[in-house]
Amino acid sequence: MITTLLAVEGVAQLGAAVGAGLAAIGAGIGIGKIGGSAMDAMARQPEVISKLMTNMIIAAALIEGVALFAAVIAFMCL
């Protein structure tokens, strides 16, 4: 009985860690795509760099917020 409970708790912890890791990977991919696209746009139209930077920072902050929310939910599932 106790070994079953310990096994279930271990699987839950593993699931939370995997969930938080996937959220971090997703955020990294999303921010990488934003950065790459912004660099392409800056190379094509250098006169709109300030507007692009503002939009890029806002989008990156939203992605980070979603990733943090996902990590918190993953650890709350314990």
Side-chain angles (χ1 to χ4, degrees):
M1 178 79 172
I2 293 175
T3 57
T4 305
L5 290 175
L6 290 175
V8 169
E9 184 178 335
V11 170
Q13 290 175 350
L14 179 65
V18 168
L22 288 174
I25 290 170
I29 291 170
I31 291 174
K33 285 189 176 221
I34 289 172
S37 298
M39 291 299 139
D40 287 343
M42 286 178 200
R44 289 183 184 146
Q45 292 182 323
E47 64 273 3
V48 294
I49 288 178
S50 62
K51 193 181 267 190
L52 281 170
M53 289 294 286
T54 303
N55 290 335
M56 186 178 73
I57 290 171
I58 290 171
L62 290 173
I63 289 174
E64 283 293 324
V66 169
L68 179 65
F69 185 68
V72 167
I73 294 299
F75 285 118
M76 284 179 60
C77 289
L78 294 176

